[in-house]
Amino acid sequence: MLHLLLLSALCAMAYGQCPNILTKAQWGGRAATCRTAMTTPVAYVVVHHTEGTACTTQTNCIAQAKSVQNYHMNSNGWCDAGYSFMVGEDGNVYEGRGWSSVGAHAPNYNSNSIGISVFGSYTSRNPNAAAQNAVQNLISCGVSRGFIRSTYILKGHRNVTATSCPGNTFYSTVASWPRFQA
Ligand SMILES: *[C@@H]1O[C@H](CO)[C@@H](O)[C@H](O)[C@H]1NC(C)=O
Ligand SMILES: [Zn+2]
């Protein structure tokens, strides 16, 4: 029993606190139509909101992931969802371009950042604790798995381009997290 506990503690250290990540295959996303490999570990993490509908169940978050991906592919004409990952208030992470593909979420930062977007609009409220924890755990997971530099800089989308993203309330919260630099 003790050695099992020790083993899981060691695994948690080795792999960081990875949240539950649904791969694109698991949420039924479309395959990317093109891909540019990204050099990792990246130096930046950029946080977004989708400015769409929030979701608190896996079923509803899958619908949001599909809606974002369809919008980015059909209307914007992109190869895939623009974000590296999407996060729901169900506490799950939904894979977009993933850890090692160049994204389409923040001009000048796409090839050197992980872009994480929370489903919903956070101008006047924060994402719930489950979503906030999932974002923070995803970042530590990326660091421990070697996709994000341990010296990474955290930014809100509004700090790299003219946009209100990720919303006033959520932006203030993100600005209080470790390694944030406007
Ligand atoms: C970052 O965003 C905040 C809030 O909108 C703004 O006050 C600040 O000037 C921005 N900083 C940079 C460097 O973009
Ligand atoms: Zn954004």
Side-chain angles (χ1 to χ4, degrees), residues 72-92:
H72 286 176
M73 292 178 81
N74 302 350
S75 304
N76 294 359
W78 297 344
C79 304
D80 196 349
Y83 308 116
S84 312
F85 296 96
M86 295 165 277
V87 169
E89 289 187 300
D90 63 342
N92 286 321

Side-chain angles (χ1 to χ4, degrees), residues 43-148:
Y44 297 94
V45 174
V46 182
V47 176
H48 303 262
H49 65 169
T50 62
E51 236 178 332
T53 308
C55 53
T56 53
T57 65
Q58 188 169 306
T59 303
N60 291 342
C61 290
I62 285 177
Q64 286 309 309
K66 289 181 175 173
S67 155
V68 168
Q69 189 188 35
N70 285 336
Y71 183 77
H72 286 176
M73 292 178 81
N74 302 350
S75 304
N76 294 359
W78 297 344
C79 304
D80 196 349
Y83 308 116
S84 312
F85 296 96
M86 295 165 277
V87 169
E89 289 187 300
D90 63 342
N92 286 321
V93 176
Y94 297 82
E95 180 189 47
R97 300 200 183 197
W99 296 116
S100 54
S101 298
V102 170
H105 59 91
N108 300 322
Y109 286 78
N110 286 321
S111 51
N112 196 16
S113 73
I114 293 296
I116 306 172
S117 189
V118 182
F119 297 122
S121 186
Y122 298 102
T123 302
S124 53
R125 76 166 179 100
N126 267 311
N128 68 10
Q132 289 191 40
N133 289 339
V135 173
Q136 291 189 290
N137 290 342
L138 184 65
I139 296 170
S140 9
C141 175
V143 170
S144 62
R145 292 178 62 187
F147 295 115
I148 300 173

